[in-house]
Amino acid sequence: MHRNAELILKKHGLPLIADGICVLEVGAGRRYAKSPIRALSPRRGWEYSFCDIGNWGRGKPGFIKMAGPNRIYSCSGVFDAVLSSQVVEHVAQPWLWITELARVARSGGLVALVCPITVKEHRFPGDYFRIMPDGMRVLMETAGLEVLVAILESFDAECDKWITFEGACPVVDCIGVGRKP
Protein backbone atom coordinates (compact mmCIF):
# COMPACT_ATOMS: atom_id res chain seq x y z
CA MET A 1 0.00 0.00 0.00
CA HIS A 2 1.54 3.32 -0.97
CA ARG A 3 1.71 6.27 1.44
CA ASN A 4 -1.20 8.26 -0.05
CA ALA A 5 -3.47 5.20 0.29
CA GLU A 6 -2.47 4.86 3.96
CA LEU A 7 -3.20 8.53 4.60
CA ILE A 8 -6.57 8.56 2.82
CA LEU A 9 -7.64 5.43 4.73
CA LYS A 10 -6.45 6.99 7.99
CA LYS A 11 -8.38 10.22 7.34
CA HIS A 12 -11.63 8.95 5.84
CA GLY A 13 -11.94 5.26 6.76
CA LEU A 14 -10.37 4.51 10.11
CA PRO A 15 -12.34 7.10 12.11
CA LEU A 16 -15.50 5.18 11.17
CA ILE A 17 -14.09 1.85 12.35
CA ALA A 18 -14.42 0.99 16.03
CA ASP A 19 -11.81 -0.53 18.30
CA GLY A 20 -12.10 -4.14 19.49
CA ILE A 21 -13.76 -5.58 16.38
CA CYS A 22 -13.16 -8.30 13.77
CA VAL A 23 -11.41 -6.93 10.67
CA LEU A 24 -10.76 -8.67 7.35
CA GLU A 25 -8.15 -7.30 4.97
CA VAL A 26 -8.80 -8.44 1.40
CA GLY A 27 -5.80 -8.42 -0.90
CA ALA A 28 -3.11 -8.38 1.76
CA GLY A 29 -0.74 -10.04 -0.70
CA ARG A 30 2.67 -11.57 -0.13
CA ARG A 31 3.56 -8.75 2.23
CA TYR A 32 0.60 -9.36 4.57
CA ALA A 33 2.98 -9.44 7.55
CA LYS A 34 3.97 -5.82 6.81
CA SER A 35 0.45 -4.56 6.09
CA PRO A 36 -0.32 -1.17 7.66
CA ILE A 37 -3.80 -2.48 8.47
CA ARG A 38 -2.33 -5.49 10.26
CA ALA A 39 0.10 -3.19 12.09
CA LEU A 40 -2.83 -1.16 13.47
CA SER A 41 -4.65 -4.25 14.76
CA PRO A 42 -2.93 -4.60 18.18
CA ARG A 43 -3.32 -0.89 18.99
CA ARG A 44 -6.97 -0.88 17.97
CA GLY A 45 -7.73 -4.24 19.58
CA TRP A 46 -8.83 -5.71 16.26
CA GLU A 47 -9.07 -9.41 15.61
CA TYR A 48 -7.22 -9.33 12.27
CA SER A 49 -7.86 -11.77 9.44
CA PHE A 50 -6.58 -11.59 5.87
CA CYS A 51 -7.08 -13.16 2.48
CA ASP A 52 -5.67 -12.80 -1.00
CA ILE A 53 -6.32 -14.49 -4.34
CA GLY A 54 -2.76 -15.88 -4.17
CA ASN A 55 -3.59 -17.50 -0.79
CA TRP A 56 -0.30 -16.24 0.67
CA GLY A 57 0.07 -16.72 4.40
CA ARG A 58 -1.54 -20.15 4.44
CA GLY A 59 -1.24 -21.60 7.93
CA LYS A 60 -0.59 -18.21 9.57
CA PRO A 61 -2.93 -16.83 12.27
CA GLY A 62 -5.88 -15.05 10.69
CA PHE A 63 -5.46 -16.57 7.21
CA ILE A 64 -8.68 -17.14 5.25
CA LYS A 65 -8.62 -19.02 1.96
CA MET A 66 -10.01 -17.61 -1.29
CA ALA A 67 -11.43 -19.91 -3.95
CA GLY A 68 -11.22 -17.30 -6.67
CA PRO A 69 -11.43 -13.54 -6.99
CA ASN A 70 -15.07 -13.46 -5.93
CA ARG A 71 -15.18 -16.20 -3.27
CA ILE A 72 -13.93 -15.89 0.30
CA TYR A 73 -14.12 -19.06 2.42
CA SER A 74 -16.05 -17.51 5.29
CA CYS A 75 -19.55 -17.62 6.66
CA SER A 76 -21.74 -14.65 5.87
CA GLY A 77 -21.88 -11.73 8.29
CA VAL A 78 -18.69 -12.48 10.23
CA PHE A 79 -16.62 -9.27 10.02
CA ASP A 80 -17.28 -5.85 11.51
CA ALA A 81 -15.07 -4.22 8.88
CA VAL A 82 -13.76 -5.43 5.52
CA LEU A 83 -10.85 -3.34 4.23
CA SER A 84 -9.11 -3.45 0.88
CA SER A 85 -6.55 -1.04 -0.54
CA GLN A 86 -4.91 -1.09 -3.97
CA VAL A 87 -6.88 -4.18 -5.03
CA VAL A 88 -10.10 -3.24 -6.84
CA GLU A 89 -8.17 -2.11 -9.93
CA HIS A 90 -6.91 -5.71 -10.31
CA VAL A 91 -10.38 -7.27 -10.12
CA ALA A 92 -11.89 -8.09 -13.53
CA GLN A 93 -15.48 -8.01 -12.23
CA PRO A 94 -15.53 -5.57 -9.29
CA TRP A 95 -19.34 -5.61 -9.07
CA LEU A 96 -19.18 -9.32 -8.16
CA TRP A 97 -16.15 -8.88 -5.90
CA ILE A 98 -17.66 -6.11 -3.77
CA THR A 99 -20.84 -8.17 -3.35
CA GLU A 100 -18.65 -10.91 -1.82
CA LEU A 101 -16.99 -8.38 0.50
CA ALA A 102 -20.44 -7.19 1.59
CA ARG A 103 -21.55 -10.80 2.13
CA VAL A 104 -18.86 -11.47 4.74
CA ALA A 105 -19.53 -8.16 6.54
CA ARG A 106 -22.02 -8.30 9.39
CA SER A 107 -25.16 -6.17 9.45
CA GLY A 108 -24.02 -2.67 10.43
CA GLY A 109 -20.47 -3.52 9.36
CA LEU A 110 -18.31 -1.45 7.05
CA VAL A 111 -16.65 -2.13 3.72
CA ALA A 112 -13.81 0.28 2.84
CA LEU A 113 -11.97 0.34 -0.49
CA VAL A 114 -9.08 2.49 -1.68
CA CYS A 115 -8.39 2.63 -5.41
CA PRO A 116 -5.40 4.39 -6.99
CA ILE A 117 -6.22 6.89 -9.70
CA THR A 118 -2.92 8.40 -10.88
CA VAL A 119 -0.62 5.42 -11.05
CA LYS A 120 1.01 3.74 -13.98
CA GLU A 121 -0.37 0.48 -15.29
CA HIS A 122 0.59 -2.37 -12.99
CA ARG A 123 -0.78 -5.75 -13.99
CA PHE A 124 -1.17 -8.24 -11.18
CA PRO A 125 -2.61 -10.27 -12.78
CA GLY A 126 -4.41 -7.53 -14.72
CA ASP A 127 -5.03 -3.82 -14.32
CA TYR A 128 -8.67 -3.24 -15.25
CA PHE A 129 -10.24 -0.17 -13.64
CA ARG A 130 -9.68 3.16 -11.96
CA ILE A 131 -12.74 3.82 -9.82
CA MET A 132 -13.81 7.46 -9.41
CA PRO A 133 -16.21 8.59 -6.63
CA ASP A 134 -19.33 8.14 -8.80
CA GLY A 135 -18.20 4.65 -9.74
CA MET A 136 -17.40 3.88 -6.10
CA ARG A 137 -20.95 4.89 -5.14
CA VAL A 138 -22.38 2.62 -7.84
CA LEU A 139 -20.22 -0.32 -6.71
CA MET A 140 -21.23 0.15 -3.07
CA GLU A 141 -24.91 0.49 -3.92
CA THR A 142 -24.76 -2.56 -6.23
CA ALA A 143 -23.59 -4.56 -3.20
CA GLY A 144 -26.47 -3.20 -1.11
CA LEU A 145 -24.25 -0.91 0.98
CA GLU A 146 -25.19 2.53 2.27
CA VAL A 147 -22.51 4.90 0.95
CA LEU A 148 -20.84 6.86 3.75
CA VAL A 149 -17.77 8.14 1.88
CA ALA A 150 -16.81 8.38 -1.80
CA ILE A 151 -14.06 10.92 -2.36
CA LEU A 152 -10.79 11.61 -4.19
CA GLU A 153 -7.84 12.93 -2.24
CA SER A 154 -4.12 13.53 -2.55
CA PHE A 155 -1.61 14.16 0.20
CA ASP A 156 0.98 15.10 -2.39
CA ALA A 157 3.12 17.18 -0.02
CA GLU A 158 3.64 14.06 2.11
CA CYS A 159 3.92 11.50 -0.70
CA ASP A 160 6.13 10.61 -3.60
CA LYS A 161 4.97 11.43 -7.10
CA TRP A 162 4.22 8.64 -9.52
CA ILE A 163 5.65 8.70 -13.02
CA THR A 164 2.81 8.28 -15.52
CA PHE A 165 2.57 8.45 -19.28
CA GLU A 166 2.20 12.23 -18.88
CA GLY A 167 5.21 12.65 -16.59
CA ALA A 168 5.35 13.20 -12.83
CA CYS A 169 2.00 13.85 -11.18
CA PRO A 170 0.56 13.87 -7.68
CA VAL A 171 -0.67 10.59 -6.28
CA VAL A 172 -4.47 10.61 -6.10
CA ASP A 173 -6.62 7.85 -4.64
CA CYS A 174 -10.35 7.29 -4.34
CA ILE A 175 -11.79 5.91 -1.10
CA GLY A 176 -15.24 4.46 -0.66
CA VAL A 177 -16.77 3.38 2.63
CA GLY A 178 -20.16 1.70 2.83
CA ARG A 179 -22.25 0.30 5.65
CA LYS A 180 -24.17 -2.95 5.35
CA PRO A 181 -27.82 -2.52 6.44
Side-chain angles (χ1 to χ4, degrees):
M1 182 183 322
H2 64 248
R3 182 74 177 136
N4 195 72
E6 286 184 52
L7 293 171
I8 198 171
L9 185 61
K10 182 178 180 180
K11 180 177 178 182
H12 297 287
L14 296 182
L16 300 172
I17 300 171
D19 292 340
I21 63 169
C22 293
V23 172
L24 174 64
E25 181 177 12
V26 178
R30 290 184 181 130
R31 298 185 192 124
Y32 69 91
K34 295 182 179 183
S35 161
I37 295 168
R38 182 174 185 258
L40 279 173
S41 295
R43 282 184 283 169
R44 299 286 305 265
W46 293 341
E47 182 181 322
Y48 174 83
S49 297
F50 65 97
C51 63
D52 190 279
I53 188 66
N55 286 315
W56 293 292
R58 192 180 315 249
K60 301 292 184 191
F63 170 78
I64 295 178
K65 184 178 177 182
M66 291 190 74
N70 306 318
R71 181 70 177 117
I72 298 168
Y73 276 114
S74 173
C75 295
S76 298
V78 172
F79 298 98
D80 300 292
V82 179
L83 310 176
S84 186
S85 181
Q86 320 302 145
V87 176
V88 67
E89 71 272 19
H90 301 293
V91 178
Q93 298 172 308
W95 51 92
L96 298 177
W97 178 76
I98 193 168
T99 300
E100 179 66 358
L101 272 57
R103 180 189 70 79
V104 300
R106 70 164 176 80
S107 180
L110 299 176
V111 174
L113 309 178
V114 178
C115 179
I117 302 300
T118 56
V119 297
K120 62 185 177 185
E121 181 179 47
H122 56 290
R123 292 185 174 135
F124 195 76
D127 191 347
Y128 304 104
F129 298 97
R130 296 293 180 262
I131 312 293
M132 301 300 276
D134 289 341
M136 193 66 79
R137 284 184 201 91
V138 169
L139 278 179
M140 297 267 171
E141 290 167 353
T142 297
L145 301 169
E146 171 195 359
V147 179
L148 303 178
V149 176
I151 191 169
L152 290 175
E153 187 141 9
S154 175
F155 295 91
D156 188 53
E158 301 176 47
C159 300
D160 295 330
K161 293 185 184 292
W162 284 86
I163 303 301
T164 68
F165 58 90
E166 295 178 356
C169 68
V171 175
V172 178
D173 291 296
C174 179
I175 185 169
V177 182
R179 183 183 323 276
K180 187 173 177 178

